[in-house]
Each structure stands twice: as structure tokens, then as C-alpha cells.
Amino acid sequence: MDIARITIAPSTASQVHDWLRKRVQRGDLPPGMRISETEVAAAIGISRQPVREAFIRLASDGLAEVRPQRGTYISRISVSAVLSARFIREAVEADLARAVAEAGPRDMLDRMADEIARQHRADEAGNVEEFIDSDDRFHHLLAQAAGQDAVWADLERLKAQMNRLRHLSMRVFDRSFTIGQHQAILDALRQGDPDAAEAAMRTHLRQMLAEVPQMAAAQPDCFTD
Amino acid sequence: MDIARITIAPSTASQVHDWLRKRVQRGDLPPGMRISETEVAAAIGISRQPVREAFIRLASDGLAEVRPQRGTYISRISVSAVLSARFIREAVEADLARAVAEAGPRDMLDRMADEIARQHRADEAGNVEEFIDSDDRFHHLLAQAAGQDAVWADLERLKAQMNRLRHLSMRVFDRSFTIGQHQAILDALRQGDPDAAEAAMRTHLRQMLAEVPQMAAAQPDCFTD
DNA sequence: AGCTCTTTACTTGTATGGAAGTATGGCATA
DNA sequence: TATGCCATACTTCCATACAAGTAAAGAGCT
């Protein structure tokens, strides 16, 4: 018999937190926007307390900023935070790529190829959300192939800022370029060439170095630093 | 004229959070311990609400676990979380070491040498707290020397679990060994040898790979996974 | 003894009222 | 016109009361 999977009903505060976090990451709630405990509570039809606790969690995620007695605001995207998260991602995923090139299970590589195919379809269909999700799964599969699934979970926290930026940039930049880089990484992994895999990954993730200042210059209200 | 540095009085909830976080990291509140909103509030002499909000933040830090209607517990140290944080640190600090070896400012290297001297003194005096603090400053200086101060701030979040473990292990393991590894890293940086610097850093941080399972086996109640 | 139900004493979650602080617009004054 | 004061309408923060759920001890029955 399987272990019964018990699911407890999530608290109101937790649900509000999830709801807000998704809306912030999708850019539905734009950077700099003011949100109010009272307003959100009235809109949902609950008291202020659960909303307040959701705000606290949102602030812990770095997605909101609570200024006492002044108001709560959706965080602007910190350029330096994005760049340092990018630095960390490059270092980590370079090591992951090396590890997989040296001893990666073949079936995981096949699954990565599947994701690239999905990215082609999402690109042609103009489905930005699906493209971003598949992009994430591609990199997640790399971590799993290296036997470091937990590492990806840790990176998720750092990716919070990058995700918001990506929802802006994906409508602007060339997605087929991204797909080509994914393919280059996978090719190197398949050939079992650690140096090539690392180089391809670093090239891929350094793409952001040029894009971030460009995005920040185009929409200065959304950014800080 | 300088910008006036305005400091707002931190909220009660924020102060309680800081207090609890330090106590958890120092091992003062042991893993698995049960804490109660009511008890803490009574001990401090305030109402439950600020304490409750401090608990929420502590849970966001991964240092506590709130089980609805059941109780709140200090998180056990997750072996897999520590190992994945270690993996990330190795990857990041390897890149940092390379960068500094290639183009690191000399004065920062001198400050790193100062820290090693402090570590010798702290070791002889048996001052574990000071040794750990200096150890942190040594690695922080490396990030600053690479012009990536923000990266260290991001790593702080991941180090939360590792810090608790270190307070346990530092009383057990050989500190002079650690100092020797720091010296080896600094020597490679001074010689401007990126490969040697990276190798020394990876060796240093892989030390934990052997220690963590050893610690977990010795004190199973404090760990999970 | 062993099992079942109930009571009771907890826990965290939510609602609400008021306290303290901040920004803003209006008004009097120079 | 420009400046300073002040009432007012917000905001978040804290205290308190109650609701809902859990766990363990104990009574009563088989």
C-alpha cells in the first residue's frame, strides 16, 4: 500500500501569498506599485491580518517592500541583485554541465531534447508563458541529471528577480537565439565534452549581461540601482 | 554634504525575528525544539502578534517550521540542504577565486592575510565565535576583491543552515587545518595563478563533504534527510 | 488488559479595534 | 507668491478576543 498522501488545507494567508507572488512574477503587479492591506483584504473579502502576513512573506521573498506607517510597494527590480544572481547561476550551472557531460544519464538528455522541441513549438505559437516554463524545465533537468535536484530548489529563490525581468524581455528578445544556445549545450553534453559543455553554458548565461542594462534603460521606472 | 542617514526604529516583530535568528544560528535553540507564540510573547512581555510574525519570517529563512494547529519547531538541519548549499558555494567561490587571481587588488589580499592572522590568534585562544566570524570575513573579502559584494549577500541566505552546523563542528574538528587551507588559497591568489587558486578553494570547501555525514551520524536528532 | 470515546488543555489561524506615524491639501500669514 | 501650521485621511503596527484544529490523558466499557 502506498503512503497516504495527506494534504492539509492551506491557510488563507498562505493562499494570498501564493496568489500575490504569482501576480508579481508575471508582471501583473508592476514594480513600484503600491498595495494596501485594507484594499487587498476588501477585494478578497477577508480581514486584514492574513493579508498582512502575506505581505510579510512577500517581503521575505524580496518581491515587496514594507515601509512602516507609509505603505507597501512592489519591489523594483534591482539591477545589482539580478547581476549577482546571474553570476551565481553561471558558476553553478557551469559545474552542473561539467558533471553531466562526464557522467550524465542518457534518458535525462533525451528529456532535455524534448524540452527544446517544446520550445520550438512555443516560439512558433508565440506562447511566451509556455516558453519560459519550458526554459526553466530544461535547466532543472540539467540539475537533476547531475543528481543535484536540491540545488535547483535553492536557485529558485535567487531566480525570483530574474523571472520578473524575463517576462519583460521575452517579448522583446529573440527566442530562437535562446533555443540555439540550448541546443549547443545539449550537443556538448551528448558528446561527453565537459569543456565544451561548460563553455556553452557560460555563453548562454552571459547573454543576460547585455540584456539587463538594456532593459533597465528602456524602462527605468521598473528598476533600481 | 552627505546624505543624512535616517534610521527608523525597527518594529517589535523585526527585533524578535533578529533575536530568534541569532539564537538559532548559535545553536542556542537546538534543532527540533518546540517554540510557542504564547510562551515567547509572555517571556518578552508583548502580545502574540509580533511574535507570530517573527515566526513567519523565521520559517521563510528555513530556520523554523510552522505546523498549523500543532506547533512551531526549530528546523532540523537538512543534510541535503547543507550539501546543495556547499555545492553552490564551491562553484561560486571557485569562480571568485579565479577572478581575483587574475585581477585582484593587492590591498584586499593584505586584508585577507590579516584575517588569517586573526584566525591563528582565535585558535590559540580557543575563541570559537571569533574564529567563525573571521572565517566568514575571509570569504567575504574574496567576494569584495572580485567586485561581487552582492554575491556574498545572496550566499548568506544559503549559509544559514551551514552556519548552525559549523557551530557544532568547530568544537570538534581541527581548526589549524582550516587555517592552512586559507593560507594556500591566499598564496595562489598572490601568485596570480587562477588554476591553483580555484583548486585550493575547491579542496577547502570539499572538506565539508566528509564532515557533514560524520556530524549527522554523531547527532542524529539534530539532522534530517 | 485493551479498546473507544470524551474531556480538556493546549496549538496556530483569523477578525477587529485602536495606537502611532506619515503624506496631503487647505488655510492663514508674511 | 511663498511659507508655515494644522486638520484629515490614509498607512502599518500591536493588542485582544474568538474560532478551529490537535494531542494526550482519563473514564468507561468489553
Side-chain angles (χ1 to χ4, degrees):
Chain A
M1 180 183 83
D2 282 356
I3 301 286
R5 182 165 296 280
I6 304 172
T7 61
I8 52 176
S11 70
T12 309
S14 158
Q15 293 182 57
V16 175
H17 174 229
D18 288 345
W19 181 66
L20 289 173
R21 197 184 54 222
K22 282 177 188 164
R23 294 196 57 178
V24 172
Q25 295 217 6
R26 294 173 66 100
D28 217 351
L29 301 175
M33 178 182 179
R34 177 174 181 162
I35 54 179
S36 149
E37 294 177 1
T38 314
E39 281 181 18
V40 175
I44 303 180
I46 57 175
S47 75
R48 294 184 339 252
Q49 203 56 42
V51 177
R52 171 175 174 74
E53 297 180 359
F55 281 14
I56 292 174
R57 287 144 110 146
L58 210 60
S60 287
D61 297 334
L63 296 178
E65 185 181 351
V66 178
R67 279 187 268 186
Q69 272 74 35
R70 291 164 156 258
T72 302
Y73 299 84
I74 303 298
S75 298
R76 296 179 196 281
I77 301 174
S78 162
V79 174
S80 72
V82 171
L83 291 179
S84 81
R86 191 216 63 81
F87 184 93
I88 293 173
R89 249 192 99 170
E90 177 186 327
V92 170
E93 298 210 47
D95 273 16
L96 289 175
R98 288 200 79 88
V100 172
E102 285 165 0
R106 305 302 291 183
D107 60 326
M108 296 301 273
L109 299 185
D110 293 339
R111 291 176 62 185
M112 291 173 77
D114 292 343
E115 291 300 337
I116 292 180
R118 281 199 191 86
Q119 287 156 27
H120 273 117
R121 289 198 295 275
D123 181 27
E124 287 164 10
N127 189 341
V128 176
E129 285 301 322
E130 169 59 17
F131 186 91
I132 291 177
D133 287 346
S134 176
D135 189 348
D136 263 7
R137 286 195 297 270
F138 179 83
H139 289 271
H140 187 178
L141 282 170
L142 178 73
Q144 290 180 302
Q148 297 285 356
D149 200 5
V151 165
W152 185 252
D154 284 336
L155 289 184
E156 283 288 355
R157 296 190 70 97
L158 295 177
K159 285 198 330 76
Q161 300 290 332
M162 290 168 54
N163 280 341
R164 296 206 289 162
L165 184 133
R166 206 156 45 149
H167 276 86
L168 299 176
S169 70
M170 269 300 167
R171 293 185 173 80
V172 178
F173 290 98
D174 189 1
R175 290 188 288 271
S176 65
F177 202 65
T178 298
I179 298 177
Q181 293 178 336
H182 284 169
Q183 190 64 55
I185 294 167
L186 182 57
D187 290 344
L189 294 178
R190 279 229 160 96
Q191 290 165 15
D193 184 340
D195 291 331
E198 174 178 350
M201 178 60 81
R202 289 189 187 270
T203 299
H204 176 45
L205 291 174
R206 278 176 191 165
Q207 201 64 26
M208 252 185 292
L209 282 176
E211 293 179 3
V212 172
Q214 202 171 334
M215 296 294 306
Q219 304 191 31
D221 317 348
C222 295
F223 293 84
T224 179
D225 280 8
Chain B
M1 181 182 85
D2 282 357
I3 301 285
R5 181 165 294 280
I6 303 172
T7 63
I8 52 176
S11 70
T12 309
S14 159
Q15 293 181 58
V16 174
H17 174 230
D18 288 345
W19 181 64
L20 288 173
R21 197 183 54 221
K22 281 177 188 165
R23 294 196 56 176
V24 173
Q25 294 217 7
R26 294 174 65 101
D28 215 352
L29 300 175
M33 179 183 178
R34 176 174 183 165
I35 55 179
S36 149
E37 295 176 1
T38 312
E39 281 181 17
V40 175
I44 304 180
I46 57 177
S47 78
R48 267 183 52 214
Q49 207 54 46
V51 176
R52 173 176 173 73
E53 296 178 1
F55 281 16
I56 292 174
R57 287 144 112 146
L58 209 60
S60 288
D61 298 334
L63 296 178
E65 185 180 352
V66 179
R67 278 186 267 185
Q69 272 75 38
R70 292 162 157 257
T72 302
Y73 299 83
I74 303 298
S75 298
R76 297 180 195 280
I77 301 174
S78 162
V79 174
S80 71
V82 171
L83 291 180
S84 81
R86 191 216 64 80
F87 184 92
I88 293 173
R89 250 192 97 170
E90 178 186 326
V92 171
E93 298 210 46
D95 273 15
L96 290 175
R98 287 199 79 88
V100 172
E102 285 166 359
R106 305 301 291 181
D107 61 325
M108 295 301 274
L109 299 185
D110 293 341
R111 291 177 61 185
M112 291 174 75
D114 292 344
E115 290 300 338
I116 292 181
R118 281 199 191 86
Q119 286 158 27
H120 274 117
R121 289 197 295 274
D123 181 27
E124 288 165 10
N127 189 341
V128 176
E129 285 300 324
E130 168 59 17
F131 186 91
I132 291 176
D133 288 346
S134 175
D135 189 347
D136 263 7
R137 286 195 297 270
F138 179 83
H139 289 272
H140 187 179
L141 282 170
L142 178 73
Q144 289 180 301
Q148 297 285 356
D149 200 6
V151 164
W152 186 251
D154 283 336
L155 289 183
E156 284 288 355
R157 296 190 70 97
L158 294 176
K159 286 200 326 77
Q161 300 289 333
M162 290 169 55
N163 280 341
R164 297 205 288 162
L165 184 134
R166 205 156 45 149
H167 276 85
L168 298 175
S169 71
M170 270 300 167
R171 293 186 173 80
V172 177
F173 291 98
D174 189 1
R175 289 188 290 271
S176 64
F177 201 66
T178 299
I179 298 177
Q181 293 178 335
H182 284 169
Q183 189 64 55
I185 293 168
L186 182 57
D187 290 344
L189 295 178
R190 280 230 159 95
Q191 291 165 14
D193 185 340
D195 290 333
E198 174 178 351
M201 178 60 81
R202 288 189 187 270
T203 299
H204 175 47
L205 291 174
R206 278 177 190 164
Q207 201 64 26
M208 252 186 292
L209 281 175
E211 293 179 4
V212 172
Q214 202 170 336
M215 297 293 306
Q219 303 192 31
D221 326 345
C222 294
F223 293 84
T224 179
D225 280 7

